[in-house]
Amino acid sequence: MFLIIIGVLVLVITAVLLKSNSPLARFRSVGRIVGLLFILLGILTSCIKQINAGEVGVKILFGNIQADVLGSGLHFINPLLDVKRLDVKTQNYTMSGVNDEGNKMGDDAIRVLTSDGLEVTIDLTVLYRVVGSDAPKLLRETGDDYRDKVVRPVTRTKIRDNAVYYQAVDLYAGKRDEFQQRIYKSIEEDFKKRGLMLEQLLVRNITLPN
């Protein structure tokens, strides 16, 4: 688009300024050719889009998100289309009580209340990815900041909602695997509705109250 704008400016300058300047009038034809070359080059570059491996391209036309996506490779598209690239590789989001270990600075561990009224601290890592075919839906309904709008709040909410069914000592030892499977299914269902796939849920540490 930038090259097209440059080409239009060259044509305008050629048509307006050189027309009224007789000593430079002989350059008008050269200016037209240069301007047209810029416009042609701009159209060609706008028609060709490269999507890298591990990405999909979501096509947007005048703010309207198209339903189909572009896979990795070179594509020839409508020059008026804008293409938003989304990463479909596995990503991780860590919430930890250890400084500089999680995605947010400081203590970001999840504190939950158990059925016996005790507060338990949980460190967790979520492995997930964007479902390529659902990328337009995700972008349309959530935007590209899905980590903060979906991954983080949904994970923390589902863990708190399910922790109330267990006693603190069971979360730490006896029913830890059961708890992890329960929150996995709960988060997986919610992610799927948004266009995300939950790949793995790692409860890294559970700390009982002193």
Side-chain angles (χ1 to χ4, degrees), residues 41-185:
L41 184 59
I43 292 174
L44 289 176
T45 55
S46 296
C47 287
I48 301 174
K49 295 292 182 182
Q50 177 177 332
I51 307 299
N52 298 324
E55 293 180 340
V56 294
V58 179
K59 298 183 292 183
I60 305 173
L61 181 62
F62 302 126
N64 182 32
I65 296 176
Q66 308 294 300
D68 56 323
V69 298
L70 303 175
S72 59
L74 283 176
H75 301 271
F76 293 90
I77 64 171
N78 183 339
L80 298 177
L81 283 172
D82 183 25
V83 176
K84 177 71 175 180
R85 294 173 174 83
L86 291 181
D87 190 346
V88 293
K89 300 187 295 295
T90 298
Q91 304 177 57
N92 73 80
Y93 194 97
T94 296
M95 289 163 278
S96 172
V98 179
N99 288 334
D100 301 328
E101 186 177 52
N103 286 76
K104 288 189 174 293
M105 296 292 292
D107 185 354
D108 193 39
I110 306 168
R111 288 170 175 77
V112 301
L113 287 177
T114 58
S115 61
D116 46 357
L118 299 177
E119 184 180 77
V120 173
T121 304
I122 299 175
D123 290 356
L124 186 91
T125 294
V126 183
L127 298 179
Y128 68 97
R129 65 179 178 85
V130 174
V131 179
S133 59
D134 289 337
K137 174 184 176 182
L138 177 66
L139 194 60
R140 186 184 305 112
E141 298 179 356
T142 305
D144 58 0
D145 53 346
Y146 49 84
R147 288 164 63 98
D148 292 326
K149 287 185 176 179
V150 177
V151 176
R152 176 181 170 83
V154 167
T155 300
R156 297 177 77 90
T157 298
K158 295 300 182 182
I159 289 176
R160 291 189 178 108
D161 289 347
N162 286 282
V164 297
Y165 296 104
Y166 298 88
Q167 294 185 357
V169 67
D170 289 335
L171 288 181
Y172 184 78
K175 297 185 178 181
R176 181 168 177 164
D177 290 341
E178 178 186 314
F179 172 65
Q180 185 164 311
Q181 286 299 316
R182 181 170 182 151
I183 57 177
Y184 178 92
K185 291 180 180 179

Side-chain angles (χ1 to χ4, degrees), residues 16-46:
V16 177
L17 297 184
L18 298 187
K19 182 178 180 180
S20 59
N21 192 326
S22 54
L24 298 177
R26 63 181 182 275
F27 293 109
R28 277 188 293 178
S29 59
V30 176
R32 290 194 190 100
I33 294 173
V34 172
L36 290 174
L37 285 176
F38 270 108
I39 292 174
L40 180 60
L41 184 59
I43 292 174
L44 289 176
T45 55
S46 296

